[in-house]
Amino acid sequence: MTFNFDTTIRREQTNSVKFDGRQQYFGTTDVAPLWVADMDFAVPECITQTLQERLNHPVFGYSLYPESLYQATIDWFARRHQWHIEQEWILMAPGVVPSLFAAVQAFAHEGEGVIVQSPVYFPFFSAVTTNRRKLLNNALRESNGRYEIDFEHLEHCAQQGARLLMLCTPHNPVGRVWSVAELNRVLEIARRYDLTILSDDIHCDLIYPGNTHTMLGRLAQPGDKIVTTIAPNKTFNIPGLGLSALVIPDKTQREAMKREFEKLHVGNSNPFSIAAYEAAYRGGDEWLDALMGYLQSSRDFAADFIAQHIPQIRMVKPEATYLLWLDCRQLGLSDSALRDFFIQECKLGLSPGAVFGEGGSGFMRMNIGTPRANIHAALTQLRQGLHRIGYE
């Protein structure tokens, strides 16, 4: 089966945050939207067919999670990640971000420390601060465009009474795939200081050739306290359907998360989310393999274009995700001026690096989950914008 990722699909007037939210976020609709982390590609046919079949039944009542949903999850992670999950470990959840907030409430009391590793997806910060926990930032170290965990500082944070570490793996926005050695060092520190780890693996399927993502849960030993967030949402471009899952081998930890969901009466999902989730994990392999080939070509195209035509900007080549982390510090612009430059001079809507916390200043995050013609056009607009402000 062949898949055409070059097809342009108009998303305006579909209540799309990425497209219809431009006026609110950028102050104009006249920008190419390359910000929100969803893709502009049609979802796999196995999903649309399954949803159509469900739509043909005219009643959309309260829905249970079928055994087949759990089995599809178990089979996917055994097949794609060599991680063998027990059904009782799986707790269905209303989304990864709500799970971040629930984990903070479940595993750290008010005033206790929660470790995050900036620059990182911004709900990591708000999950801590909104719930009045102490934010402990173990900022990543960057050297020549490669990011690493500062393990000495991580241990220092753990010594300050931290109860929870929120690990982004693979990392958004810097695109790192943490090695087995790095993950084992994280586990060793967590064991020494009795930390629970919330391992956000939502991008675990979006790995470029030459890199291997290891689920932290695969490396766990008895007694390790690991909550892993998983979902087909990023992988198969269905984030609007929301449904995700948590894999929690430890019963005490699992019950703690259940209690947080029960406080808000967060229970069963809608029938379409359930159907799409299962269909994706059952039949999406071939589509995903084709997608990653296309994204790899787009990533490499962008890297070559920037190196040849936009030397003032350095692209951090991602090992995973469809997100580029653009180092614009050489331009010498403040974060507000950098954002205005992209919007006003380049007509581009990207995510400002500053929203990802310490280490994000001077960067922009660009979404390449779109037809390659859009990437070429965007980079051309960026080059032209730089020429207009005096860069040759």
Side-chain angles (χ1 to χ4, degrees):
M1 186 179 297
T2 58
F3 307 93
N4 185 1
F5 296 104
D6 288 316
T7 301
T8 297
I9 301 172
R10 291 194 61 82
R11 298 184 59 192
E12 291 87 348
Q13 298 181 337
T14 63
N15 299 317
S16 160
V17 170
K18 188 176 181 182
F19 283 75
D20 298 323
R22 284 177 289 180
Q23 180 66 49
Q24 179 179 351
Y25 191 77
F26 299 105
T28 177
T29 59
D30 189 23
V31 290
L34 301 169
W35 57 306
V36 173
D38 65 16
M39 296 184 283
D40 299 329
F41 307 132
V43 303
E45 191 174 346
C46 63
I47 295 176
T48 53
Q49 286 183 342
T50 299
L51 289 176
Q52 186 61 58
E53 290 169 6
R54 183 62 186 85
L55 184 64
N56 288 337
H57 191 291
V59 179
F60 312 120
Y62 298 115
S63 300
L64 298 170
Y65 296 121
E67 291 289 316
S68 56
L69 180 78
Y70 294 96
Q71 193 60 50
T73 304
I74 292 167
D75 293 345
W76 178 267
F77 282 90
R79 186 168 71 246
R80 305 289 299 203
H81 296 281
Q82 297 74 54
W83 187 30
H84 300 284
I85 300 170
E86 301 292 335
Q87 180 170 329
E88 66 178 10
W89 299 353
I90 302 172
L91 176 63
M92 302 311 296
V96 169
V97 172
S99 298
L100 301 179
F101 279 71
V104 168
Q105 294 172 333
F107 304 120
H109 294 300
E110 201 168 304
E112 290 185 324
V114 178
I115 303 170
V116 300
Q117 297 172 312
S118 71
V120 72
Y121 182 48
F122 46 88
F124 277 52
F125 303 111
S126 55
V128 179
T129 57
T130 300
N131 288 301
R132 295 188 291 277
R133 273 59 174 176
K134 182 180 179 182
L135 180 67
L136 300 172
N137 185 30
N138 171 226
L140 301 178
R141 295 188 303 194
E142 183 256 335
S143 177
N144 296 318
R146 182 169 178 80
Y147 285 82
E148 296 178 345
I149 297 172
D150 184 340
F151 286 101
E152 290 184 5
H153 186 257
L154 175 58
E155 186 150 10
H156 173 72
C157 291
Q159 291 169 347
Q160 296 183 53
R163 305 306 306 149
L164 175 67
L165 164 64
M166 297 206 292
L167 181 72
C168 193
T169 173
H171 195 280
N172 170 19
V174 307
R176 268 301 313 275
V177 174
W178 306 120
S179 68
V180 170
E182 288 169 315
L183 294 174
N184 274 323
R185 287 193 69 181
V186 169
L187 285 171
E188 289 167 6
I189 292 172
R191 290 169 191 144
R192 262 199 305 278
Y193 297 96
D194 194 30
L195 287 174
T196 297
I197 302 175
L198 185 288
S199 182
D200 176 8
D201 290 67
I202 194 172
H203 291 99
C204 67
D205 297 310
L206 302 170
I207 310 298
Y208 293 110
N211 303 281
T212 301
H213 174 74
T214 302
M215 306 295 295
L216 187 69
R218 274 187 61 199
L219 305 176
Q221 298 176 3
D224 287 342
K225 298 188 291 188
I226 302 173
V227 176
T228 304
T229 69
I230 57 173
N233 301 341
K234 299 295 184 184
T235 305
F236 297 104
N237 202 29
I238 53 173
L241 294 177
L243 185 60
S244 69
L246 302 172
V247 181
I248 315 174
D250 181 80
K251 183 178 179 180
T252 300
Q253 303 284 297
R254 196 163 58 246
E255 291 298 322
M257 286 297 290
K258 278 185 181 179
R259 285 194 295 273
E260 294 306 320
F261 289 145
E262 288 169 357
K263 287 177 184 178
L264 298 174
H265 196 67
V266 176
N268 293 345
S269 185
N270 71 75
F272 297 103
S273 297
I274 293 170
Y277 178 113
E278 181 175 344
Y281 279 156
R282 285 209 177 280
D285 293 77
E286 191 175 356
W287 183 92
L288 175 58
D289 292 340
L291 170 73
M292 290 312 302
Y294 188 85
L295 290 176
Q296 181 185 12
S297 296
S298 294
R299 178 200 64 171
D300 295 346
F301 166 78
D304 291 342
F305 188 103
I306 291 170
Q308 292 178 29
H309 302 294
I310 318 176
Q312 304 86 359
I313 292 176
R314 185 177 65 179
M315 173 183 143
V316 178
K317 201 168 188 179
E319 299 168 347
T321 81
Y322 48 82
L323 305 167
L324 304 183
W325 191 232
L326 303 180
D327 184 351
C328 306
R329 289 175 293 183
Q330 189 177 325
L331 301 181
L333 299 175
S334 68
D335 288 313
S336 59
L338 182 63
R339 182 178 185 273
D340 289 344
F341 163 71
F342 271 82
I343 295 170
Q344 296 168 11
E345 293 291 341
C346 306
K347 308 297 184 185
L348 296 176
L350 277 63
S351 298
V355 304
F356 299 96
E358 181 182 342
S361 180
F363 287 79
M364 298 292 283
R365 192 190 74 174
M366 177 177 173
N367 180 345
I368 59 168
T370 191
R372 199 163 304 127
N374 294 340
I375 300 169
H376 182 269
L379 293 176
T380 300
Q381 289 167 220
L382 176 53
R383 180 178 61 176
Q384 293 169 345
L386 286 169
H387 287 172
R388 278 193 292 274
I389 65 171
Y391 286 94
E392 299 298 332

